[in-house]
Amino acid sequence: MSEIDPIPAPPPSPEGWYAPPPYAPAPPPARPFWGRWIAVVTVVATILAAGGGLGIGLTMARYLHNSSPVTQTATLPQASEPPTASAPISAVPPSNSNGTINAQAIAAKVDPAIVDINTVVQTSGGTSAAAGTGMIVTPSGEVLTNNHVVDGSTSITVTIAGRSGNYSAHVIGVSTTNDVALLQIDGGVSGLPTVTLADASNVKVGDPVVAIGNALGQGGTPSVTQGQITAIDQTITASEGRGKSETLDGLIQSDATISPGDSGGALVNSAGQVIGMITAGEASSSRSSTSNVAYSITTNTALSVVNQVRAGQAGNGVFIGPVGYIGVGIADQGGARVTAVQSGSPAEKAGITVGSLIIAVGSTSVDSTGTLGNALHVYKPGASVAVTWVDGNGASHTKTLTLTTGPNI
């Protein structure tokens, strides 16, 4: 499948409601791409990050279909040190208004807590850029978004409604299995508006909803579309191309129109409460820029990850703080096959080459992208670990690599 032509993102609005604290300037211009494209059986669909957001060696394609679970590959963006344990965030009871909905009134309530997220990704060919959406969940600037929005990023910037400039942000923690990430906006922000997260356990088919996000990565006032819930408890299997895949379940399906860039955005009920986080949508063709078959992660699932991260509890697919990387692209091709090697990385220094098959990390056997990611991500940057691989000529090698912090495995 071909990539969508790149689109430049407009600069953030200089007008503001608040006096802005110091902020980080936007990163140097990088070549933006539209998002990861998904196939549902014979239908093409989008994972809704509007651009790169991928680690080295991955394609700009993401395929989705209903099937048996597929092992997920985990790559984790640069992150901060583990946070001090914080009180959990609780979902409020939902309060729908008898099936009626006022999209513009809802947008006026929710928009101030919706942020644009822009990332830069270092690849073997240079840099690329991606755009997505986030929801502010604490007044001090914690932001809920999809893991795939920030996955593989070397820098993250956030645009806050009503504040001029772009703020830098870092990852506090992610769930690779649930496609959830929690970010922290840098610069000592405070007093930010927050979304209201509602319990989604009783949503039902036919409930009216509004989808709000950074459609097409254009920034500015969030896009707003209206629809209804068409299915609940949906399971999708998504592949990022070249063997990288994940299975997400318990999703809400709706027909509110969404576009690349809406990933991490809000699925909102008629009371202006967030019941889901937009993550994927089917489209009628590989070049379609909109979809009215949308999938959202429930607030219940997202909050379980957020609260685990805020409590500083890693495990069960949740990673907190920086993890170690060796700097390769991997695909499930007869095992964990190396498809790219980052210049200057621990892998390159050790002599790992494209086409090699990584078979062990320390005493842990590796037979897929997923097992490799899980084996590496228990180590922090600076740790040394033995990596065993078989090169393209069939020769076996074992060397000790000192892991670094970076966007790649």
Side-chain angles (χ1 to χ4, degrees):
M1 296 182 189
S2 60
E3 297 170 357
I4 296 296
D5 294 335
I7 54 171
S13 170
E15 300 177 0
W17 293 336
Y18 311 94
Y23 63 88
R31 186 168 181 251
F33 290 95
W34 278 13
R36 313 172 187 185
W37 290 86
I38 306 169
V40 182
V41 188
T42 59
V43 180
V44 177
T46 66
I47 277 292
L48 300 165
L54 303 175
I56 185 172
L58 302 185
T59 66
M60 290 296 176
R62 183 173 176 128
Y63 305 94
L64 173 70
H65 56 87
N66 295 320
S67 68
S68 57
V70 176
T71 302
Q72 181 196 357
T73 269
T75 57
L76 189 68
Q78 294 183 3
S80 66
E81 289 302 320
T84 302
S86 303
I89 299 172
S90 299
V92 303
S95 52
N96 288 299
S97 54
N98 300 321
T100 61
I101 199 161
N102 184 327
Q104 296 309 311
I106 289 170
K109 179 179 180 179
V110 177
D111 280 2
I114 300 297
V115 300
D116 300 335
I117 298 175
N118 290 278
T119 64
V120 173
V121 181
Q122 185 69 44
T123 70
S124 56
T127 60
S128 63
T133 310
M135 296 178 277
I136 302 173
V137 294
T138 67
S140 59
E142 291 177 47
V143 173
L144 171 64
T145 189
N146 288 130
N147 178 50
H148 76 254
V149 169
V150 292
D151 184 24
S153 59
T154 58
S155 72
I156 303 169
T157 56
V158 171
T159 303
I160 304 173
R163 298 201 180 191
S164 60
N166 297 325
Y167 294 80
S168 64
H170 61 261
V171 176
I172 304 172
V174 305
S175 169
T176 57
T177 53
N178 290 301
D179 197 17
V180 174
L182 184 65
L183 314 183
Q184 173 65 56
I185 300 172
D186 300 326
V189 295
S190 62
L192 297 180
T194 62
V195 293
T196 299
L197 300 171
D199 183 355
S201 58
N202 292 319
V203 299
K204 62 184 183 299
V205 173
D207 285 350
V209 290
V210 168
I212 300 176
N214 180 17
L216 304 181
Q218 294 180 341
T221 303
S223 67
V224 180
T225 60
Q226 185 174 334
Q228 64 180 6
I229 294 174
T230 55
I232 58 173
D233 198 23
Q234 297 297 288
T235 297
I236 61 175
T237 299
S239 168
E240 299 210 7
R242 300 190 184 180
K244 293 194 67 170
S245 56
E246 67 182 350
T247 295
L248 301 174
D249 55 26
L251 303 182
I252 299 170
Q253 183 179 327
S254 70
D255 62 6
T257 301
I258 54 176
S259 301
D262 280 330
S263 271
L267 186 71
V268 188
N269 66 14
S270 59
Q273 301 167 322
V274 175
I275 57 171
M277 178 168 62
I278 301 166
T279 192
E282 298 176 17
S284 58
S285 73
S286 63
R287 287 188 171 271
S288 176
S289 61
T290 62
S291 171
N292 63 358
V293 181
Y295 298 96
S296 298
I297 297 166
T298 67
T299 50
N300 304 61
T301 297
L303 270 179
S304 68
V305 174
V306 165
N307 288 328
Q308 186 175 340
V309 169
R310 298 185 89 234
Q313 298 173 346
N316 296 321
V318 173
F319 297 92
I320 299 173
V323 296
Y325 297 87
I326 63 174
V328 295
I330 296 293
D332 283 325
Q333 298 173 359
R337 183 78 60 182
V338 176
T339 58
V341 180
Q342 185 180 21
S343 176
S345 66
E348 184 188 55
K349 293 175 182 177
I352 298 176
T353 56
V354 172
S356 296
L357 197 66
I358 297 177
I359 60 174
V361 173
S363 59
T364 302
S365 296
V366 170
D367 59 8
S368 67
T369 57
T371 56
L372 176 59
N374 292 337
L376 284 173
H377 289 162
V378 300
Y379 296 95
K380 296 296 182 182
S384 295
V385 60
V387 176
T388 302
W389 73 94
V390 177
D391 64 26
N393 296 319
S396 180
H397 308 265
T398 299
K399 289 190 178 180
T400 298
L401 281 65
T402 299
L403 305 183
T404 61
T405 299
N408 308 311
I409 291 178

